[in-house]
Structure formats: C-alpha cells, structure tokens
Amino acid sequence: MSSRKIWETTEVIICGCGPTGAMLSAYLGRMGIRNIVIEKEANITTDPRGIALDEDGIRLVQGLGLYDWIYTEIGTCMGEFKFISGTEKDLHKPPILEIVHNAPAGTSGHVGYIGHKQPVLESKLRSAISPTCCSLRCGSTIVGIKEDKDWVYCTYHNADGKDHNVRARYLVGADGKTGYTRKQYLEPRGVMMEKFHEAFYEETWVALNWKMTLPTPETHPSFPLWELGYKPKQVYDLFFPSEFRFLCNRERPAVCGRFGLPEDRLWRFEYLVDRSENGDRMAEPEEMRRIVLPYLTHRGSRYNLDQDVQFPEDCITVLRCRPFKFSSRTCNVWAKERVILCGDAAHVFPPFGGQGIVSGFRDAISLSWRLVVLCRYQPYKRNHERVLAAWYLERKQQLRVSLATTVRNGELVCERNLLKTLLRDWALWFMQLFPMYRDRLQRGGRKTATFQLRHSEGMPFIPDLNGGIYMPQVYCRTATGRICFTDDAIYRAGSRSLFRVFIYLQSSAEIASATEALHGIECWSRGEFDSHNIPIIVENMASTDIIQMSNVFQIASAEEFSRSPLCSQRPVPLSYNPFLIRKRVQGTFVVVRPDRFVFAACNDRGELKEAVECMARYLYGEI
C-alpha cells in the first residue's frame, strides 16, 4: 500500500449501522473485539421499515442486556395472526385460520412475535455498542475498498469531504442490498445475488405506515358512533383491530396490522401490485385511498344505521407510502477473502414471516464469535476462508427453513385462482375439525427455533454428541430466588471464555458427582473454562439440598415467571415445557457456542474431555 497514507488500524470494519450492523458491533464489543462502524446516514431514520421480530430475534436482543426495553419501548406482542379469505373489504370477517403468538412460550421462553418500531429498536441496539471497543462514524460514505494478504483497507468520506483511511483484519458489509460492499466491490469479483430456487418469490408491493390520532366528540361532532355510546379508544379499536391480518383476497392480497407500542397508534398496510400495474402509480394518494379506505368503512347495518361509517381521514397521518420489490434471493457466497456480507447485503426476504431483520441478527451473532476466533485465537493462521465458508454454509441451512416457511405463508395469502382458493379454504376448515391438526396450525410451526444443523467438514460442532441443535431457553431461579432466563445463567457476564459449558441435572443430589467430573477441564480447554464458575442448572432441588451457590440455578415454572418482573407488559406463558433443555439437548455436560447452538452434549467425563479438547483445537485452528 502507499507509504504516504496513514491507516488507522482496528480489527473489524463494519459498513452500515442498521439492525444487523449494530447487533454485530454490540456482540463483538462484548467479546472484546475492536471495531469501527461506518454509517452513511447522520441519524437513525425515523421511517419504520421492518415491523416484526420473532422469538429468535427477541432472544438475541435479550442477549445484549436489552430485555427491559423490549415491551416498554421497542414493541408489543403481536398476538394472533388472522388469515381472512374472500373479496370483501372486511377486517372483522371470521378468519379461515388463526395463529396464536402471544401465549405459547415456544422454545425460547418468549412470545412468537412482537410488532416493533424499528427506529427505537436501532437506538437500543446502538446503546448496547461498547464505547471502549467500537467507534461509530455516522454521516460517512465509503468510496473505496482494497485488500492484500493481511489487511482490508477502507476509504470513506464524512462531512468534511476529506479521505479517511482505516484498515482491519476483516470488513463486514451490512450496508443492505444496494450498499457499496456488494454492489461496488464484491459483484465485480463474482459475488452475485441469486434466486433461491427452493422457495423463489418476486413481486412488487406497496407498503404504507400510518399514524392515527383519536377522533373525539369535540373534533368530529357529526361522527355517528358517538350517539351509540362509543368512546374514542373504542372507535380506534373497531377500525384498527389489534390482531395482525393476512388478507387472502384473490382480487388484491394484502396484510395489515398495528406495530410499535399501543400508545404510538401505528399501522402497517401492504398490498400487492399486479404485474400489469406501475408500482409508483399504485403508491400515489388516490390509488392508496381507493385500495385501503374500503377496509376502514363499515356498513351502517352493523350499527343499525342508515349510512356507512368511515374512520375520519383527517385523523390519519401518512408516514410512508412507497413500492418495494420483495423477493427471495441469496448470494452465491457470503465471504470472499477478507470481505464478508451479512443481512440484506447477503440475502433478501418477502414480507410474510417477519424474517428479514431476524435473519440479519442470526448472521450477526453467528459471525461475531467466528471473527473472535480469527482475530484472537488465530491471528496468523490464514484460516479465514475455511472458517467463514463453514459460517455461511451453516447459515444457509437456517435461511432455507426461514425462506421456505415465509414463501409458504405468501402462497397462502397470494393465491389468485378461484378454484385453488376454494380448495385452500375447505382444506383448512377440514383440518381444524381435528384437535391435533388444529393445535398444530394455531401454533404456526415455529420451526426456526427447533432447527438442527446438518454437519459437513469444518462446521464447529460434534454431531455424534448431539451437536448442531439450537439450544432451547427456559426460565430458572437463582439461589436468591430471582427469576431469570437460562441464557442469562449460561452466558453470564464476566467470563472471558468464548464457548460456554454448563451442567444440566434432574436432581440436586447429583451436584457433587457432576462437579467432580469437571476435574481437569481447565487443562483440557487450555484455560477457557474455570471448573469453579460453571453454571449448574437443576430441575428439582430437594429442601435438604438447598445450596446457596451463585452458579446453581433451578428450573422455574410458568407461574413463577408470570409473577416476576420479567413478565411485566407481556402475556403470561402458556404451553410452557420447563424440561425442554433435557428433552432436546440430552446431555449432562453441555458445551454451547455463543450463537446458542450446541457444540456437544456429553453424558460422562470421557465425552466431556473429548468435546472440550476438540473445541480447543477448533479455536486454535488445529482442525
């Protein structure tokens, strides 16, 4: 490189500080990896783009210590998803299918989905970024990237218009599907966005965000429902019901529902643009009103009135109305040399499953610890292409499940053929006559949370020891009686180890023998683990075995969780299985990765020694 330039040096450069980039920086900071984030916008956009976050996304936000803000500032449980068939413009028509997301605890202890306000989510993620490890450079535009065998070099401009030069071991493009990293740097090198052939989808939709104010008898004295005794909040609930709706209207499919906190009164409506129509034209005010307002007009007969009733238009503020091309695509590779893609830069989703942001979150958490491996454990190994290829091949397995589920939801909503819609409605009606199928349909099949990786060369887990399972999360109780999540017990702050190990027991009577089996773990792990600080999770604690040890946690019930502060402002959990870890993981000594995947689940000291030594060899690039 030119000797005339002075290059600021860090370990990782992140291009883009949207949700994916912010989460990646925050997790890198928690692991002690220095990073510089280059963001072209001066401030967080006020436009709410993504609005849904599933239980996996909630869990990863929790992992940054942000749980207290999830239901108080970021969003609200989305409750039920109602699928409504027919061509009537009626949000209150009985649904052909209801999926319940508020009550089941799933495999994460969280609700199925929250409807979030993305600007607040991004603000909270940025608050979790470490000021000692990260430097956020807003209002900065990348103008050049180049590499050599040891470094990647990035040049950017900020408000002063001058060149600023920074180099790092790795550069991550989290700058979206039109960002510089992929479009300008990697595409000329053969990295291309391809159709996801197993579940391909591509259509144009118009997405609008509205913010409502409440009509009152003083502001709208002629509104007919006042005479029937309705209050302003009741009127709002009538026209903008709390449940999210998928409008399976063969004339024009649409989805709509609230997001953000209840007091925000935000509403999203998205509708399909026919291929013969122009997306920009269909987003113009008159077209938007023609399509959406019929859903906000109730027949007078519903209230025994002569005239129809429409929600007052002057109580609606349009925050956004624009077309988007939604598609299911992924890049052929997500990393080339020392430049990496994640989030929308690596893959894009249609809008039927709330998987866009959370897939970027999964990229971030699974990439973050591998960058720690490369920067801290293997700085001179030149093993990065193998490590990164295993990363994105794992992620593509997960992505395939998410995309397939999303596209199936889209097919359910977007079917236009009359005969096929009749068959769909009849099949759903018939299946729900049987309790087993009805319950399965209503749970919505939260498959990404029960996902298990298929092993191939270089992937960091031991399949013969039940590795590759996505570890469930349940509730537990500390020695002082405080309720917490098992992730908070396993990934406790203060430990320098990258991977974590914990002991899972059915009875407290097994604690003594289990801890004896840990003898030698410091040596096996090359100092990664401290036998005196390994969490012990116990199902049943006998009164005679109550142990006041900070590393012992007892499985807690749904009722205990419901009474705790953690359940404030969210629904109480139902269908909760406190023994999910034992059922899924099936091991006494469990080695887990930072991305919540099991590295190995062991039943005796011999298996534990094998697994921990294998983990250490992986960390130091010896396998």
Side-chain angles (χ1 to χ4, degrees):
M1 306 305 300
S2 173
S3 60
R4 297 180 182 178
K5 291 184 179 180
I6 298 175
W7 294 90
E8 181 183 6
T9 299
T10 190
E11 292 176 286
V12 178
I13 299 168
I14 302 172
C15 302
C17 199
T20 300
M23 178 159 281
L24 176 60
S25 176
Y27 272 108
L28 286 174
R30 291 171 78 87
M31 301 175 192
I33 298 298
R34 294 178 294 112
N35 60 93
I36 291 173
V37 185
I38 299 170
E39 167 56 47
K40 68 178 180 179
E41 300 296 335
N43 300 293
I44 295 172
T45 178
T46 59
D47 178 24
R49 291 160 292 172
I51 64 167
L53 195 64
D54 78 359
E55 61 176 316
D56 205 2
I58 300 169
R59 183 180 186 179
L60 297 180
V61 172
Q62 168 208 331
L64 292 175
L66 298 173
Y67 182 82
D68 288 347
W69 286 272
I70 291 174
Y71 297 101
T72 57
E73 295 186 33
I74 294 174
T76 305
C77 174
M78 295 183 80
E80 297 176 354
F81 286 177
K82 294 179 180 287
F83 290 77
I84 297 176
S85 184
T87 57
E88 306 93 328
K89 309 297 193 298
D90 183 1
L91 298 182
H92 293 274
K93 183 181 177 182
I96 57 172
L97 174 64
E98 292 181 82
I99 297 177
V100 181
H101 287 299
N102 57 347
T107 59
S108 69
H110 293 299
V111 300
Y113 284 87
I114 62 168
H116 67 87
K117 190 159 59 172
Q118 186 171 332
V120 177
L121 174 63
E122 290 191 32
S123 176
K124 293 303 178 184
L125 291 174
R126 290 190 184 188
S127 74
I129 292 175
S130 167
T132 59
C133 292
C134 171
S135 175
L136 174 57
R137 316 277 173 87
C138 292
S140 301
T141 303
I142 296 172
V143 295
I145 298 173
K146 49 189 174 182
E147 298 174 77
D148 61 26
K149 61 184 177 62
D150 295 313
W151 300 93
V152 56
Y153 302 82
C154 177
T155 299
Y156 68 91
H157 291 164
N158 60 16
D160 62 16
K162 298 178 181 177
D163 282 358
H164 297 266
N165 304 305
V166 60
R167 69 175 186 173
R169 293 296 182 187
Y170 302 95
L171 182 146
V172 181
D175 46 354
K177 58 187 177 182
T178 61
Y180 184 97
T181 309
R182 178 167 62 82
K183 296 296 291 183
Q184 302 299 318
Y185 183 71
L186 286 180
E187 283 192 1
R189 290 160 175 77
V191 177
M192 303 298 292
M193 191 75 85
E194 301 174 336
K195 293 180 180 179
F196 203 93
H197 295 290
E198 295 94 328
F200 182 65
Y201 177 90
E202 188 166 80
E203 295 287 355
T204 298
W205 288 64
V206 170
L208 63 87
N209 292 332
W210 284 358
K211 181 176 177 62
M212 264 64 66
T213 56
L214 297 181
T216 67
E218 291 74 28
T219 59
H220 296 80
S222 61
F223 188 69
L225 296 189
W226 306 138
E227 295 182 1
L228 302 179
Y230 284 88
K231 305 298 183 185
K233 175 64 165 54
Q234 292 174 314
V235 169
Y236 171 68
D237 290 338
L238 276 172
F239 286 89
F240 301 95
S242 59
E243 307 89 355
F244 211 82
R245 279 154 169 76
F246 291 82
L247 306 174
C248 310
N249 185 333
R250 62 185 178 84
E251 293 180 351
R252 190 178 299 276
V255 296
C256 65
R258 299 185 194 179
F259 64 99
L261 299 180
E263 57 267 27
D264 293 330
R265 290 193 293 276
L266 296 171
W267 197 60
R268 166 67 60 87
F269 195 102
E270 297 176 356
Y271 53 89
L272 180 67
V273 175
D274 287 335
R275 295 184 180 181
S276 62
E277 298 172 330
N278 178 275
D280 292 322
R281 168 64 180 157
M282 296 306 296
E284 291 179 358
E286 63 272 20
E287 290 296 325
M288 179 266 288
R289 293 177 71 256
R290 179 179 66 83
I291 292 167
V292 181
L293 289 184
Y295 286 100
L296 303 178
T297 303
H298 294 176
R299 292 185 177 180
S301 57
R302 176 174 179 170
Y303 307 101
N304 293 319
L305 297 173
D306 294 333
Q307 73 275 24
D308 292 344
V309 183
Q310 180 180 303
F311 188 82
E313 284 191 64
D314 59 353
C315 290
I316 299 170
T317 300
V318 179
L319 303 178
R320 159 213 265 184
C321 187
R322 52 174 291 197
F324 292 86
K325 178 170 282 189
F326 291 122
S327 61
S328 54
R329 294 177 181 267
T330 181
C331 286
N332 53 344
V333 296
W334 296 7
K336 194 171 183 65
E337 302 297 339
R338 293 181 178 272
V339 178
I340 307 160
L341 297 174
C342 62
D344 286 352
H347 46 75
V348 290
F349 274 79
F352 305 115
Q355 291 296 300
I357 289 179
V358 76
S359 289
F361 283 1
R362 294 188 188 107
D363 295 348
I365 182 65
S366 59
L367 175 61
S368 63
W369 69 264
R370 286 167 165 96
L371 290 173
V372 178
V373 168
L374 295 173
C375 292
R376 181 191 298 164
Y377 297 88
Q378 305 177 24
Y380 307 111
K381 277 283 186 180
R382 302 190 188 283
N383 195 33
H384 54 276
E385 291 190 55
R386 183 170 181 265
V387 170
L388 294 172
W391 161 68
Y392 67 73
L393 290 175
E394 276 192 4
R395 281 290 302 120
K396 281 191 172 185
Q397 290 185 39
Q398 230 177 343
L399 191 78
R400 186 171 290 108
V401 174
S402 300
L403 267 173
T405 302
T406 298
V407 170
R408 280 197 299 271
N409 287 345
E411 290 171 347
L412 184 66
V413 175
C414 297
E415 181 56 62
R416 313 294 293 274
N417 181 279
L418 175 59
L419 178 59
K420 289 182 179 180
T421 61
L422 292 173
L423 289 172
R424 174 201 65 200
D425 295 355
W426 181 87
L428 286 171
W429 171 82
F430 182 75
M431 290 174 69
Q432 292 177 82
L433 295 177
F434 302 92
M436 180 180 69
Y437 294 114
R438 182 180 65 245
D439 293 345
R440 187 178 301 171
L441 286 168
Q442 291 179 349
R443 286 196 301 269
R446 292 149 78 163
K447 291 184 179 179
T448 56
T450 58
F451 179 76
Q452 181 168 1
L453 293 165
R454 299 186 308 277
H455 190 267
S456 62
E457 185 180 359
M459 291 184 180
F461 59 91
I462 304 175
D464 292 340
L465 293 178
N466 229 15
I469 288 174
Y470 191 65
M471 187 178 67
Q473 175 176 235
V474 296
Y475 315 129
C476 62
R477 184 172 62 248
T478 68
T480 60
R482 181 176 61 86
I483 302 299
C484 63
F485 294 96
T486 48
D487 276 9
D488 300 330
I490 296 164
Y491 297 97
R492 290 183 296 171
S495 174
R496 67 170 296 278
S497 59
L498 183 59
F499 284 44
R500 301 296 172 95
V501 63
F502 69 94
I503 299 172
Y504 188 91
L505 305 172
Q506 289 183 251
S507 169
S508 56
E510 305 170 75
I511 291 178
S513 60
T515 53
E516 285 179 9
L518 298 176
H519 179 68
I521 198 169
E522 290 89 349
C523 179
W524 308 335
S525 66
R526 306 186 195 183
E528 281 291 300
F529 299 138
D530 175 2
S531 62
H532 300 291
N533 196 37
I534 288 174
I536 302 171
I537 299 173
V538 182
E539 289 183 4
N540 300 300
M541 189 81 74
S543 58
T544 56
D545 292 329
I546 298 299
I547 300 174
Q548 295 299 315
M549 295 172 59
S550 62
N551 66 322
V552 176
F553 302 83
Q554 184 179 0
I555 295 296
S557 67
E559 291 75 18
E560 289 173 303
F561 178 83
S562 300
R563 295 193 298 268
S564 77
L566 295 178
C567 200
S568 176
Q569 295 183 276
R570 59 151 280 178
V572 299
L574 302 176
S575 305
Y576 167 68
N577 183 350
F579 309 123
L580 267 178
I581 295 178
R582 169 162 54 89
K583 178 182 177 182
R584 288 276 296 155
V585 177
Q586 300 178 1
T588 300
F589 307 96
V590 186
V591 183
V592 288
R593 306 181 337 190
D595 55 3
R596 282 55 177 170
F597 278 93
V598 173
F599 179 82
C602 313
N603 287 304
D604 56 44
R605 187 171 186 270
E607 289 182 349
L608 177 62
K609 182 176 184 292
E610 174 192 346
V612 171
E613 288 178 341
C614 180
M615 177 208 74
R617 290 196 301 273
Y618 172 79
L619 289 177
Y620 289 95
E622 297 169 2
I623 55 174

